[in-house]
Amino acid sequence: MLQKFGFTQYESQVFEVLTASTSPLDATTIVKYSQVPKSKVYEVLNRLADKGLILSSFTDRKKLYTALPLETIIEKLTDEFQTNVEELKSKKYSLTPVDDRVWTIKNNEAIYSLSKQTLSKASRSIYFSGWADDLLPLLPLLEEKQEKGLEVEVMSIGEIDSILENSHTLLPDVRHEALERYQLLIIDEKELVFAGVERGEWQGIQTLSSPLVKFFTEFFFHDVALAEITHKYEDTLMKDEKIKNILMKLRY
């Protein structure tokens, strides 16, 4: 019957033994009559004590256990059930909206406006990467957000003059085979705007899709790590033809 109230089989077996006994029992005796493994009995007894169903006491260096009167248990379970019913009646349920849609956008000016609008909404963090001349118009807003305490991290293709504390720079190399114009903005690790040049025209996407935001966040930090490693060990890396050829093929 106790299992119908959410008790485990072991809890029910131990409680049944304690209820059937006219005197307190020690753990060894409880194991004998309940058939609950000795390795589990103390864990079960502690759970029953936490639920307020049994009492314990030390006598002659031995810990004894006894169950509360069944009438008290029934009253306790009834009160708890009624409380849960009332809580269930008053609880408000609502689905958290999930927007996995991916919106497309064209035109450089429109993408700039969208990026600026998205930046203004940031409340915790901003990750931004792109070419220096595309980044410059948004730099004042990025610096303002940093001054307000947001985490701002920027990856720039080309040098920029900025007060940003977390700024990384990759100097373009004419030998790069896949170094293309792009712009990536992620705010609060939940919304992104990504754009690139396709057939001479800027095209982009905007989304709140969690899998895509996570993927592009890893993409951002991949570029940051690669830029920092290349900058620090450039002489060594460029002397290795195999590594140099790989670096020149990477799409930043």
Side-chain angles (χ1 to χ4, degrees), residues 128-130 135 153-157 168 170 182 220 223-224 227:
F128 190 99
S129 63
L135 191 155
E153 192 151 0
V154 166
M155 168 76 182
S156 173
I157 310 299
H168 313 275
L170 174 70
Y182 80 97
F220 172 83
D223 282 0
V224 167

Side-chain angles (χ1 to χ4, degrees), residues 97-112:
V98 177
D99 188 354
D100 288 330
R101 292 171 294 185
V102 177
W103 302 92
T104 60
I105 185 171
K106 294 184 178 181
N107 183 278
N108 189 26
E109 287 76 16
I111 292 170
Y112 167 75

Side-chain angles (χ1 to χ4, degrees), residues 123-174:
S123 60
R124 297 193 313 274
S125 64
I126 298 170
Y127 305 138
F128 190 99
S129 63
W131 286 64
D133 52 350
D134 295 321
L135 191 155
L136 284 176
L138 296 170
L139 198 53
L141 184 53
L142 289 166
E143 293 174 342
E144 178 185 330
K145 287 291 185 179
Q146 177 181 269
E147 291 177 359
K148 290 182 178 179
L150 275 71
E151 176 192 355
V152 179
E153 192 151 0
V154 166
M155 168 76 182
S156 173
I157 310 299
E159 293 280 5
I160 58 170
D161 183 14
S162 169
I163 62 171
L164 293 175
E165 297 172 359
N166 296 314
S167 179
H168 313 275
T169 303
L170 174 70
L171 297 178
D173 190 306
V174 293

Side-chain angles (χ1 to χ4, degrees), residues 19-151:
T19 302
S21 176
T22 56
S23 59
L25 304 177
D26 61 18
T28 302
T29 306
I30 293 170
V31 168
K32 177 181 178 181
Y33 288 103
S34 69
Q35 298 183 344
V36 172
K38 188 175 182 179
S39 60
K40 294 286 186 180
V41 73
Y42 286 106
E43 177 187 336
V44 173
L45 286 166
N46 287 334
R47 289 206 303 267
L48 289 173
D50 290 341
K51 293 177 180 180
L53 301 180
I54 64 173
L55 303 174
S56 63
S57 177
F58 276 99
T59 304
D60 297 330
R61 298 183 181 180
K62 183 181 291 186
K63 194 169 187 180
L64 300 177
Y65 301 88
T66 187
L68 287 173
L70 191 57
E71 293 78 8
T72 304
I73 299 298
I74 292 173
E75 184 178 348
K76 177 180 182 299
L77 294 175
T78 302
D79 290 343
E80 289 179 352
F81 179 79
Q82 191 59 43
T83 299
N84 290 337
V85 168
E86 294 302 321
E87 183 179 343
L88 184 62
K89 287 180 179 179
S90 61
K91 190 170 180 62
K92 303 291 184 182
Y93 292 94
S94 62
L95 290 176
T96 302
V98 177
D99 188 354
D100 288 330
R101 292 171 294 185
V102 177
W103 302 92
T104 60
I105 185 171
K106 294 184 178 181
N107 183 278
N108 189 26
E109 287 76 16
I111 292 170
Y112 167 75
S113 296
L114 177 61
S115 298
K116 189 173 181 180
Q117 179 188 16
T118 304
L119 266 175
S120 65
K121 296 188 297 182
S123 60
R124 297 193 313 274
S125 64
I126 298 170
Y127 305 138
F128 190 99
S129 63
W131 286 64
D133 52 350
D134 295 321
L135 191 155
L136 284 176
L138 296 170
L139 198 53
L141 184 53
L142 289 166
E143 293 174 342
E144 178 185 330
K145 287 291 185 179
Q146 177 181 269
E147 291 177 359
K148 290 182 178 179
L150 275 71
E151 176 192 355

Side-chain angles (χ1 to χ4, degrees), residues 40 100 137 184 219 234 249:
K40 294 286 186 180
D100 288 330
L184 171 62
F219 178 87
E234 183 174 9
K249 292 178 181 179

